[in-house]
Amino acid sequence: MSKRLRSSEVCADCSAQDPCWASINRGILICDECCSVHRSLGRHISQVRHLKHTPWPPTLLQMVETLYNNGANSIWEHSLLDPASVMSGRRKANPQDKVHPNKAEFIKAKYQMLAFVHRLPCRDDDSVTAKDLSKQLHSSVRTGNLETCLRLLSLGAQANFFHPEKGNTPLHVAAKAGQILQAELLAVYGADPGTQDSNGKTPVDYARQGGHHDLAERLVEIQYELTDRLAFYLCGRKPDHKNGQHFIIPQMADSSLDLSELAKAAKKKLQSLSNHLFEELAMDVYDEVDRRETDAVWLATQNHSTLVTEKTVVPFLPVNPEYSSTRNQGRQKLARFNAHEFATLVIDILSDAKRRQQGNSVTGSKENVELILKAINSRHNSENQDIDQPDYDSVASDEDTDLETNAAKASRQKSLDSDLSDGPVTAQEYMQVKNALMASEVKIQQLMKVNINLSDELRIMQKKASKLEKQNSMPESDYDNPTPSLELDEPGSGRKGRQRSVIWQGEGSIPENTDTDAAPSSTLPSTEDVIRKTEQITKNIQELLRAAQENKHDSYIPCSERIHVAVTEMAALFPKKPRSELVRTSLRLLTSSAYRLQSECKKTLPVEPCPTTDIQLVTQQVIQCAYDIAKAAKQLVTITTKENNN
């Protein structure tokens, strides 16, 4: 790690002295307390890394420090720099503020809501704006001005934009110009070093062609970042890419444990996943590795005499609203894997990633990733048949997290060896690891038993709520079952959105329209009517988000009811059977998200004997539902405007 540039650094969020964490995709340095909030938001919002206790690629650290020193924080606090903000009472947090609610609310507004960033003038066609911004990015990366490029990315420029006239991407331009820090920034925002230009060349090719050998080697590392990180987690080494070794596959010391039929079935299902689903699973496991490693650093750097503080604990991966609720549930289940199970999953992913890159095919299948996780999980559970698996996971306590972290460290000692190294770990070492795991497993089993009854009671309450919804508030339409939503990008998120489906997860499903006699209609309402209803929906959503920001949880239900009424009124403008598939998809997303919103908001009711609700998790789901509603309404405005103008 390079030396810190100067000693006068302050936290970007609260101005505390000597920050020891960095948010890579935001280009800022932050203190311990603010970092705890960043971690709770998830890596899709902020990618945190400790400045001293985490290994850094030198140029990545240089990129963050360059952004920090050139005022990257002003991008995220643009409107706060306006003197009018001081007059209106809007201010950033300070070191003396409490983490909750003061610092947490400010950080969420700053990075999750993007409340203070510069807003471009409204335009009818957002794609044109994104294209213009991406062209500016394409041109800017040939220079050394990182802050300009981060600003463009924060406004919605696409790191993987393929310039139609130039026939290449911004990463090709940066590589050709030898701009290694620009390449680091683009990669953080999702640029792919393996992308070919119109001549069939990759950014790596252009870096080598221009004599930028350090850049070329770094681009290869970035290309294998996911599998390198997984291998390093298990055995503390990375492949030697310079000499053509791109994968290390660690081996379990006691491989006999993985020869059961369940283990074989799990591996077979993993191999039969489509490339897209396999990539999603690998990305989720990468995020879980990051969470576990950051946890270890977090615990090592805290004052253990005062460990129970108001700092946020992250016991499992936070909800990513760009992903379906099914995928979010699968991601959170990864935290339940003990060290041995998780190491097995990581090894299986590394093995299959190598197989797929080498082009070895396996018969395709549409198995859900969730089945893979269940199959691997069941290797352990089959040895404990008296323990029933609840549908919903209990939340790990601070003590469990500490135990799991120790087990993970022990597991790393157990899994030291690769297919290129010096043999398996001894039986004695394995028994030491097994003993370390037992303490964690006993605690988890106790929590699972307690959770069984609570989960059953929760499901009963959800069924009752669903029945009431069916009886009291079902509109007569054919678009109440959600279907896969459109792919989306969120400016400033640091990662392309991959939300492929928004699935109704309540116990009672929303029924199909029974009016089969209605004829498909191509008639659409007037643009003015749709805009008016959208404005009403937006106003109600803003009210809900304000309640969330101010922790007024008792306002969730009345807000959700007003949103539901506004959504119903908007849906009533459209024919019962729209001819346009795009209209039907948007209406399904609109109405199903409104139902999900009501269901989530009802979880704030203090109903006995329902277990204590995790308000933070509910709030994240509420925000996701509100986002889906606003997105669907915007799609309908765009569609009706376009159709009515034709």
Side-chain angles (χ1 to χ4, degrees):
M1 174 184 162
S2 69
K3 292 183 179 180
R4 304 284 294 282
L5 296 188
R6 60 175 187 267
S7 59
S8 59
E9 294 164 347
V10 297
C11 173
D13 295 334
C14 74
S15 302
Q17 292 291 322
D18 197 24
C20 52
W21 295 84
S23 173
I24 297 172
N25 57 322
R26 305 294 176 173
I28 58 168
L29 306 183
I30 50 178
C31 68
D32 259 4
E33 290 192 341
C34 291
C35 176
S36 74
V37 181
H38 278 251
R39 290 194 64 212
S40 72
L41 298 179
R43 292 188 75 253
H44 58 288
I45 301 295
S46 183
Q47 301 170 21
V48 301
R49 186 179 292 209
H50 199 277
L51 290 168
K52 296 179 181 177
H53 295 278
T54 308
W56 282 82
T59 50
L60 181 62
L61 178 60
Q62 188 182 348
M63 180 210 79
V64 172
E65 290 179 328
T66 301
L67 283 170
Y68 174 84
N69 291 329
N70 285 278
N73 195 41
S74 64
I75 294 172
W76 316 112
E77 294 184 357
H78 177 84
S79 64
L80 290 181
L81 301 176
D82 187 342
S85 293
V86 179
M87 300 297 292
S88 66
R90 296 170 70 186
R91 67 167 185 86
K92 67 183 296 176
N94 64 54
Q96 290 72 40
D97 283 338
K98 291 184 176 181
V99 177
H100 298 284
N102 306 73
K103 289 184 180 180
E105 288 183 356
F106 173 74
I107 290 168
K108 288 175 183 177
K110 182 177 175 181
Y111 302 109
Q112 195 171 52
M113 309 295 185
L114 299 176
F116 313 123
V117 300
H118 173 64
R119 301 291 182 184
L120 292 174
C122 292
R123 295 178 60 168
D124 293 335
D125 190 347
D126 285 346
S127 64
V128 174
T129 301
K131 187 176 181 180
D132 292 342
L133 290 167
S134 299
K135 285 186 174 181
Q136 291 181 46
L137 177 68
H138 188 279
S139 176
S140 298
V141 293
R142 71 181 71 252
T143 73
N145 197 333
L146 284 178
E147 193 266 347
T148 296
C149 293
L150 180 60
R151 190 179 300 277
L152 290 167
L153 288 163
S154 75
L155 292 171
Q158 299 302 300
N160 268 322
F161 173 73
F162 192 89
H163 199 297
E165 289 85 26
K166 308 289 186 181
N168 58 13
T169 69
L171 193 55
H172 285 95
V173 176
K176 195 171 184 179
Q179 293 289 350
I180 192 167
L181 300 188
Q182 294 283 21
E184 291 281 5
L185 178 61
L186 290 169
V188 166
Y189 275 78
D192 181 5
T195 300
Q196 295 183 347
D197 67 0
S198 55
N199 295 319
K201 291 187 175 182
T202 67
V204 179
D205 295 329
Y206 282 107
R208 287 175 177 155
Q209 184 178 310
H212 310 300
H213 300 297
D214 289 345
L215 173 55
E217 290 174 5
R218 177 63 185 139
L219 287 173
V220 172
E221 288 178 1
I222 291 171
Q223 196 167 359
Y224 290 94
E225 180 191 359
L226 190 151
T227 49
D228 283 3
R229 179 78 178 272
L230 299 189
F232 188 83
Y233 172 73
L234 290 183
C235 63
R237 295 192 300 112
K238 292 183 179 180
D240 184 4
H241 296 292
K242 290 182 182 179
N243 293 319
Q245 180 205 10
H246 298 308
F247 293 92
I248 288 179
I249 315 296
Q251 295 177 348
M252 300 298 288
D254 189 354
S255 58
S256 63
L257 294 177
D258 298 318
L259 298 179
S260 66
E261 290 304 314
L262 284 170
K264 292 177 182 177
K267 186 172 291 189
K268 186 175 181 181
K269 287 179 179 177
L270 180 72
Q271 292 175 342
S272 66
L273 285 176
S274 68
N275 285 338
H276 168 67
L277 286 178
F278 177 77
E279 286 172 6
E280 287 192 346
L281 176 60
M283 287 167 60
D284 294 343
V285 170
Y286 176 96
D287 286 352
E288 175 64 13
V289 164
D290 181 83
R291 186 193 69 82
R292 294 186 183 211
E293 288 192 330
T294 307
D295 262 349
V297 174
W298 181 264
L299 290 170
T301 56
Q302 298 302 299
N303 181 349
H304 288 269
S305 63
T306 57
L307 190 57
V308 182
T309 69
E310 61 176 347
K311 295 177 185 177
T312 304
V313 176
V314 184
F316 47 70
L317 289 175
V319 170
N320 183 342
E322 295 180 5
Y323 297 158
S324 69
S325 53
T326 301
R327 183 174 176 187
N328 274 312
Q329 288 176 4
R331 283 165 59 84
Q332 294 187 349
K333 286 179 184 296
L334 290 172
R336 284 283 300 279
F337 282 43
N338 65 31
H340 181 275
E341 292 162 351
F342 191 63
T344 303
L345 174 59
V346 170
I347 291 170
D348 287 350
I349 287 176
L350 285 169
S351 301
D352 212 50
K354 182 178 181 180
R355 177 190 66 79
R356 289 170 189 255
Q357 196 209 45
Q358 293 174 345
N360 299 332
S361 61
V362 172
T363 305
S365 170
K366 294 186 177 179
E367 292 282 3
N368 193 298
V369 170
E370 188 77 0
L371 297 178
I372 309 298
L373 302 184
K374 285 182 179 178
I376 295 170
N377 231 346
S378 63
R379 300 178 194 178
H380 169 74
N381 295 331
S382 62
E383 300 171 6
N384 300 276
Q385 296 294 339
D386 57 319
I387 303 173
D388 295 327
Q389 284 291 325
D391 286 350
Y392 299 95
D393 294 331
S394 58
V395 177
S397 67
D398 294 353
E399 183 181 356
D400 301 330
T401 306
D402 203 358
L403 286 169
E404 191 282 322
T405 303
N406 291 334
K409 290 178 182 176
S411 174
R412 189 175 297 180
Q413 296 301 317
K414 179 184 63 174
S415 306
L416 285 174
D417 297 302
S418 73
D419 50 359
L420 300 176
S421 59
D422 28 283
V425 178
T426 65
Q428 181 181 1
E429 289 171 327
Y430 174 72
M431 289 307 299
Q432 291 173 349
V433 172
K434 192 169 183 180
N435 291 335
L437 291 174
M438 284 176 62
S440 176
E441 284 303 299
V442 168
K443 191 70 176 178
I444 290 174
Q445 290 170 17
Q446 290 172 350
L447 288 171
M448 285 163 54
K449 288 179 180 178
V450 170
N451 197 46
I452 293 171
N453 292 335
L454 299 181
S455 296
D456 289 340
E457 291 164 359
L458 178 60
R459 286 198 296 275
I460 292 170
M461 298 298 297
Q462 289 176 329
K463 286 180 179 179
K464 290 180 180 178
S466 297
K467 289 178 181 178
L468 287 174
E469 285 177 2
K470 291 179 190 178
Q471 294 169 1
N472 299 332
S473 57
M474 283 294 167
E476 295 181 359
S477 64
D478 71 336
Y479 36 75
D480 299 322
N481 271 338
T483 61
S485 65
L486 302 180
E487 191 172 310
L488 59 102
D489 297 323
E490 181 180 344
S493 67
R495 178 181 293 181
K496 184 177 181 183
R498 288 178 179 253
Q499 182 179 4
R500 302 293 178 181
S501 61
V502 183
I503 304 174
W504 174 258
Q505 293 295 323
E507 290 293 321
S509 61
I510 305 173
E512 291 278 3
N513 175 44
T514 55
D515 185 5
T516 57
D517 297 330
S521 173
S522 58
T523 305
L524 294 179
S526 69
T527 304
E528 292 75 15
D529 287 345
V530 176
I531 290 175
R532 187 167 62 252
K533 294 299 182 185
T534 299
E535 288 174 346
Q536 185 61 46
I537 292 172
T538 304
K539 179 182 176 182
N540 292 329
I541 287 176
Q542 288 172 342
E543 183 182 356
L544 175 63
L545 295 180
R546 277 195 298 272
Q549 203 167 4
E550 296 169 5
N551 291 325
K552 295 180 178 177
H553 307 124
D554 54 348
S555 299
Y556 282 12
I557 291 178
C559 285
S560 69
E561 289 173 349
R562 286 192 286 273
I563 291 171
H564 184 272
V565 170
V567 164
T568 304
E569 290 176 353
M570 182 166 179
L573 296 175
F574 291 81
K576 289 187 176 181
K577 281 200 171 183
R579 189 180 300 275
S580 167
E581 177 62 30
L582 194 55
V583 172
R584 292 198 299 273
T585 299
S586 299
L587 286 168
R588 287 183 184 120
L589 177 60
L590 181 75
T591 55
S592 63
S593 298
Y595 283 120
R596 287 195 300 119
L597 177 64
Q598 283 194 305
S599 177
E600 292 295 334
C601 289
K602 286 176 181 176
K603 293 178 184 178
T604 60
L605 288 173
V607 180
E608 296 293 342
C610 183
T612 303
T613 304
D614 184 343
I615 292 296
Q616 184 181 5
L617 189 59
V618 169
T619 298
Q620 287 178 319
Q621 293 285 11
V622 164
I623 291 172
Q624 176 186 343
C625 294
Y627 179 81
D628 289 342
I629 292 169
K631 175 167 155 269
K634 180 181 177 183
Q635 289 172 0
L636 290 169
V637 170
T638 302
I639 295 167
T640 52
T641 302
K642 183 178 179 180
E643 292 297 324
N644 290 332
N645 287 339
N646 288 342

